[in-house]
């Protein structure tokens, strides 16, 4: 049976990184599309604004995808970002922000777009793994001396102390000089041009078994912790649900509370996973 001969099943999981704050990740589920957003949080304990922005932007993207189901995804992002900035008088450089990942099932294809570090991963029956990801911010940050410094301090056992937070504030200040500009990185904020700079692709739906949209609270388990591969994420989510994937990430982090083995910004990040299950995975020759 082809991937387009049946409506895919959707499973989702979300969890806050800190017990005293609401998650700033958002998942939007439509009949023909999925949207995952990660609101950009502050280094301090200010009232989170990224979560509000992610929720408001997700609603606008959903409305546009419903009204114009075949529109170019970059145009959808551009219109949603611009409309939200206009209606709420958001100012570039001073606005809350969010990463965005959008996937849409259309005829015999999957249209995907990402803006920021929330990748989309497709897995096919033949074992092929396709991924659309945006690493522009990661490349910029990793080139800064503060990135090496905070990791070395964590490995040395200093933990998430005040100096760690000060280093992160310096990194955030640097990021603010690079946001939504050529040669920097692009993210959903108050400049609609960011939508035109999203990474986009179209993949065939035939033979697709799984489509995964995840925030960095999930992707760290694959990219940094080497805890799971993307096919293993899909298998665990299929058999036990997305929350089981989040449980595995949290267990790994709980065993490394000071981040000596897996240096990271915070003890645990917000995590969101949206899983489109298409045809059953290949189980070998009959």
């Amino acid at each position: 049976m082809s991937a387009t001969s049946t409506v895919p099943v959707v499973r989702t999981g979300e969890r806050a990184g800190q017990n005293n704050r609401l998650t700033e990740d958002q998942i939007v589920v439509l009949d023909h599309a999925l949207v995952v957003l990660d609101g950009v949080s502050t280094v301090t304990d200010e009232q989170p604004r990224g979560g509000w922005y992610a929720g408001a932007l997700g609603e606008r993207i959903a409305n546009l995808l419903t009204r114009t189901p075949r529109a170019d995804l970059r145009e959808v992002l551009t219109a949603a970002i611009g409309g939200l900035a206009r209606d709420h008088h958001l100012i570039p450089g001073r606005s809350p922000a969010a990463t965005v990942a959008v996937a849409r099932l259309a005829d015999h294809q999957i249209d995907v777009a990402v803006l920021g570090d929330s990748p989309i991963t497709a897995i096919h029956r033949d074992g092929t793994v396709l991924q659309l990801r945006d690493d522009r911010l990661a490349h910029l940050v990793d080139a800064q001396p503060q990135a090496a410094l905070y990791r070395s301090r964590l490995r040395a056992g200093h933990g998430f102390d005040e100096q760690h937070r000060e280093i992160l504030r310096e990194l955030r200040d640097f990021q603010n000089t690079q946001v939504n500009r050529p040669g920097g990185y692009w993210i959903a904020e108050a400049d609609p041009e960011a939508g035109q700079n999203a990474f986009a692709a179209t993949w065939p739906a035939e033979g697709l078994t799984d489509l995964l949209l995840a925030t960095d609270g999930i992707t760290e388990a694959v990219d940094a912790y080497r805890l799971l591969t993307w096919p293993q994420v899909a298998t665990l989510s299929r058999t036990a649900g997305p929350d089981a994937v989040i449980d595995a990430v949290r267990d790994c982090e709980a065993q490394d509370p000071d981040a000596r083995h897996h240096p990271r910004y915070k003890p645990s990040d917000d995590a969101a996973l949206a899983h489109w299950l298409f045809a059953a995975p290949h189980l070998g020759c009959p």
Side-chain angles (χ1 to χ4, degrees):
M1 181 178 292
S2 72
T4 56
S5 63
T6 185
V7 176
V9 174
V10 179
R11 292 180 179 172
T12 66
E14 299 176 72
R15 196 171 306 170
Q18 302 178 49
N19 291 332
N20 62 336
R21 294 183 67 172
L22 296 174
T23 180
E24 295 184 275
D25 292 355
Q26 301 287 332
I27 298 176
V28 180
V29 180
L30 304 174
D31 289 341
H32 69 302
L34 286 176
V35 186
V36 168
L37 308 97
D38 182 353
V40 176
S41 58
T42 60
V43 176
T44 66
D45 290 328
E46 299 170 4
Q47 180 69 24
R49 298 172 63 213
W52 166 81
Y53 182 86
L57 185 64
E59 289 181 6
R60 286 179 179 262
I61 293 172
N63 289 336
L64 287 166
L65 289 172
T66 301
R67 297 202 317 263
T68 57
R70 296 185 179 276
D72 181 277
L73 292 183
R74 287 195 183 102
E75 296 295 339
V76 169
L77 291 176
T78 299
I81 294 168
L84 187 60
R86 180 189 64 248
D87 292 348
H88 290 274
H89 309 290
L90 303 180
I91 300 172
R94 296 169 56 188
S95 165
T99 71
V100 188
V102 184
R104 176 181 60 198
L105 176 62
D107 296 328
H108 300 285
Q109 66 187 37
I110 301 289
D111 299 324
V112 291
V114 297
L115 191 58
D117 58 354
S118 294
I120 300 175
T121 306
I123 300 172
H124 288 258
R125 287 176 61 87
D126 64 2
T128 300
V129 178
L130 299 175
Q131 188 171 71
L132 183 67
R133 58 188 301 142
D134 182 353
D135 291 328
R136 287 173 288 194
L137 175 58
H139 292 323
L140 285 168
V141 168
D142 287 346
Q144 302 308 304
Q146 294 93 336
L149 178 59
Y150 90 76
R151 291 178 180 128
S152 66
R153 293 189 76 258
L154 287 171
R155 291 191 181 99
H158 293 284
F160 302 100
D161 60 6
E162 180 54 37
Q163 188 172 347
H164 174 82
R165 290 186 286 273
E166 178 58 32
I167 294 169
L168 294 191
R169 282 191 284 268
E170 291 177 7
L171 278 175
R172 180 59 55 83
D173 289 342
F174 165 74
Q175 289 176 214
N176 289 339
T177 69
Q178 303 297 311
V179 65
N180 290 350
R181 54 178 290 184
Y185 73 101
W186 296 86
I187 197 165
E189 191 232 21
D191 185 352
E193 187 179 350
Q196 296 297 319
N197 285 274
F199 290 155
T202 296
W203 297 327
E206 182 67 31
L208 187 70
T209 61
D210 303 89
L211 194 75
L212 303 163
L213 286 71
T215 62
D216 57 358
I218 298 291
T219 62
E220 285 291 277
V222 179
D223 298 336
Y225 306 166
R226 306 296 181 188
L227 178 66
L228 298 165
T229 64
W230 284 110
Q232 288 171 336
V233 170
T235 298
L236 181 56
S237 181
R238 271 184 175 269
T239 57
D243 282 332
V245 178
I246 300 175
D247 286 340
V249 177
R250 290 291 191 265
D251 289 345
C252 178
E253 292 167 342
Q255 293 172 31
D256 182 32
D258 296 324
R260 293 193 185 202
H261 300 292
H262 302 301
R264 52 196 187 268
Y265 285 175
K266 60 187 79 172
S268 292
D269 201 356
D270 295 344
L273 177 63
H275 185 183
W276 243 348
L277 295 85
F278 291 83
H282 181 59
L283 298 177
C285 298

